[in-house]
Amino acid sequence: MAPSSIHIVRVRYDDPAHAAALVGLLDAYARDPAGGGEPLGDFARANLVDELAARSFIFSVLAFDGNSPVGLVNAIEGFSTFACRPLVNVHDVIVLPSHRGCGIAAQLFAETEAIARQRGACKLTLEVLSGNRAARGLYEKLGFDDYRLDPAMGHAQFMQKWLD
């Protein structure tokens, strides 16, 4: 693949091509072992783009190889109480297996960081599965590190509690 054929765009949720690319890439990620190994449900497929568009604190970035979507970041603005500024959580990172190792994720992150800076964010955050060594290595290369305040207290661990 020629690197010049990759272009990065901010998603326009009202663009049918962008909407289809977003859902298709997120479904590919969901089916991957790193994404849980199950396809997106019908409800998510039918409603995701409209729900994202309804929330001004969410944005997405796509990578295309020519006209083919090959990468996606979904990001959600939060707020740092300690910094009293927005932060941006990188919620999903997807690069199709056929295009991994080509620098696409770094390009997606560069655009995500530019948007975060435009929003006045103090930092980017993300979660990564402990067994996803390739992703963790990429994130460290891009400047991410474990969240910690006082080293004696250790680093933060992401936890969840399903409500339904």
Side-chain angles (χ1 to χ4, degrees):
M1 163 186 49
S4 62
S5 67
I6 300 298
H7 60 281
I8 307 296
V9 298
R10 182 166 176 179
V11 171
R12 293 185 318 276
Y13 298 119
D14 62 347
D15 179 324
H18 284 194
L22 187 149
V23 172
L25 287 164
L26 194 63
D27 182 61
Y29 178 45
R31 292 171 186 266
D32 189 271
E38 297 289 330
L40 284 182
D42 292 339
F43 179 81
R45 285 179 171 282
N47 296 287
L48 180 62
V49 174
D50 288 340
E51 291 295 327
L52 293 173
R55 290 162 172 80
S56 62
F57 54 89
I58 297 178
F59 65 90
S60 304
V61 179
L62 282 166
F64 287 92
D65 182 358
N67 292 323
S68 299
V70 297
L72 170 70
V73 162
N74 288 318
I76 302 171
E77 184 179 307
F79 191 78
S80 169
T81 54
F82 285 6
C84 192
R85 291 177 50 200
L87 60 80
V88 171
N89 179 259
V90 177
H91 191 67
D92 301 303
V93 179
I94 304 103
V95 175
L96 293 180
S98 61
H99 287 70
R100 291 180 186 157
C102 300
I104 294 169
Q107 292 178 61
L108 288 164
F109 270 91
E111 181 64 14
T112 301
E113 183 173 330
I115 295 167
R117 288 181 184 280
Q118 290 169 358
R119 290 172 170 243
C122 63
K123 65 180 173 179
L124 295 175
T125 63
L126 56 77
E127 303 88 43
V128 61
L129 295 172
S130 60
N132 193 342
R133 288 183 174 82
R136 175 140 184 132
L138 168 69
Y139 302 151
E140 289 173 350
K141 182 179 172 185
L142 294 175
F144 287 87
D145 194 7
D146 291 330
Y147 175 82
R148 65 178 67 77
L149 298 170
D150 178 346
M153 294 297 295
H155 65 272
Q157 296 181 339
F158 186 70
M159 299 173 71
Q160 72 178 5
K161 176 183 176 182
W162 286 102
L163 301 178
D164 57 9

